[in-house]
Amino acid sequence: MAILFIFILVSLTLVNCQTDSDNYVGSTGNCKDMLQGFINGQLASALGSLQLENLRKEFQRSLDDKDSEIKELRRETESLKTTIEEGFAGGSYFTNKGAAAEPLCLPPDPEWGLHTESADNTRGYVYGAEYEFSTLTDSRKNLHEHDVPCAVCRVKQRSVVITIPARKSCYPGWYQEYTGYLVAGYHGHEAATQYTCIDVNPIGIPNSQGDQNGKLFYPVESRCGSLPCPPYVNGRELTCVVCSI
């Protein structure tokens, strides 16, 4: 179609050149130059359009191939994950001075060894955990004072798992297990706590809302000073991501 269009235009130009040469002495050379320039321009335009279309198709094929690779990688990554245990998050009471810092994931089917039935004041204690999200303004606020579920997972063919605070994505070369928000105990409470990365879409144990306390999970925000701002922002809640390699 493009070649036919160029041929018609060239024919019209030749007619005009012939007419001009009959009326003006010395006009033939200028007409040839004009015709040559016209032909070169049209051919360049046609070839350019063809090359552009080929590049567009090649780019789309590249995108399709990359999308397929990403989907396959996700399928392979998901197949490597195995849930070992699902249960209830717990830990020490938030005001206990001798509290254990780390949270626990307690199974729904405990097995008992030697034990006594009565409570004893000379022991360490384990309580359930609650979200303390009353100050949030997003949907997570609805989980305030709900009990916290948990899961322990195993990732095959990975030797290292790390939690990176203040990131929502892993650095190149690492696989993302999940992303979420950083939580810990309230800074004014006596019990020691650890930073924990909870899922970006946390859930609560159904029908568990109630101010029972125990191990408490509060949002964690950055505070400027010894922490440089920027890049950090004073008072902003911190994200987190769990990565493996």
Side-chain angles (χ1 to χ4, degrees):
M1 185 66 181
I3 301 300
L4 178 61
F5 178 68
I6 293 173
F7 175 76
I8 293 172
L9 290 178
V10 170
S11 299
L12 292 174
T13 305
L14 285 173
V15 171
N16 290 334
C17 284
Q18 183 62 41
T19 303
D20 291 342
S21 64
D22 293 339
N23 297 328
Y24 299 99
V25 177
S27 63
T28 305
N30 292 334
C31 188
K32 287 181 178 179
D33 293 340
M34 181 181 69
L35 180 59
Q36 185 64 45
F38 172 78
I39 293 174
N40 290 340
Q42 291 298 318
L43 287 175
S45 177
L47 290 174
S49 298
L50 181 61
Q51 291 174 345
L52 182 62
E53 179 63 19
N54 288 337
L55 286 174
R56 188 193 67 79
K57 291 180 179 179
E58 183 64 27
F59 181 68
Q60 186 60 48
R61 281 195 295 269
S62 177
L63 288 179
D64 293 341
D65 292 342
K66 184 61 66 177
D67 186 57
S68 298
E69 291 176 5
I70 292 174
K71 289 180 179 179
E72 180 62 27
L73 179 60
R74 285 176 177 171
R75 283 194 294 268
E76 292 177 358
T77 301
E78 288 299 322
S79 67
L80 295 175
K81 296 179 182 178
T82 303
T83 300
I84 298 176
E85 171 196 336
E86 293 180 343
F88 315 105
S92 293
Y93 201 78
F94 70 101
T95 59
N96 287 357
K97 294 181 179 180
E102 71 275 10
L104 297 174
C105 188
L106 299 162
D109 52 350
E111 298 177 341
W112 307 104
L114 297 175
H115 64 278
T116 59
E117 298 294 343
S118 59
D120 193 322
N121 289 331
T122 60
R123 311 286 174 86
Y125 301 140
V126 172
Y127 297 83
E130 288 183 355
Y131 296 115
E132 295 294 327
F133 288 171
S134 62
T135 60
L136 296 178
T137 58
D138 54 69
S139 60
R140 291 173 296 162
K141 184 175 182 178
N142 297 328
L143 291 174
H144 178 58
E145 292 186 341
H146 278 76
D147 296 342
V148 183
C150 62
V152 177
C153 302
R154 179 169 67 97
V155 183
K156 301 176 184 178
Q157 300 177 10
R158 304 276 197 272
S159 59
V160 179
V161 178
I162 61 172
T163 298
I164 305 177
R167 291 280 300 182
K168 296 193 297 183
S169 60
C170 299
Y171 290 105
W174 290 79
Y175 296 93
Q176 178 177 305
E177 300 302 332
Y178 71 92
T179 184
Y181 293 95
L182 209 61
V183 296
Y186 177 64
H187 70 88
H189 289 161
E190 294 178 327
T193 65
Q194 284 187 339
Y195 295 112
T196 302
C197 187
I198 65 170
D199 192 79
V200 67
N201 295 308
I203 60 174
I205 296 175
N207 304 315
S208 66
Q209 187 175 21
D211 190 13
Q212 303 296 320
N213 292 320
K215 181 76 172 178
L216 303 182
F217 289 145
Y218 287 82
V220 174
E221 64 181 36
S222 53
R223 287 301 177 97
C224 297
S226 54
L227 184 67
C229 296
Y232 290 90
V233 178
N234 194 64
R236 183 172 293 181
E237 289 81 18
L238 292 174
T239 57
C240 56
V241 63
V242 175
C243 308
S244 65
I245 192 172

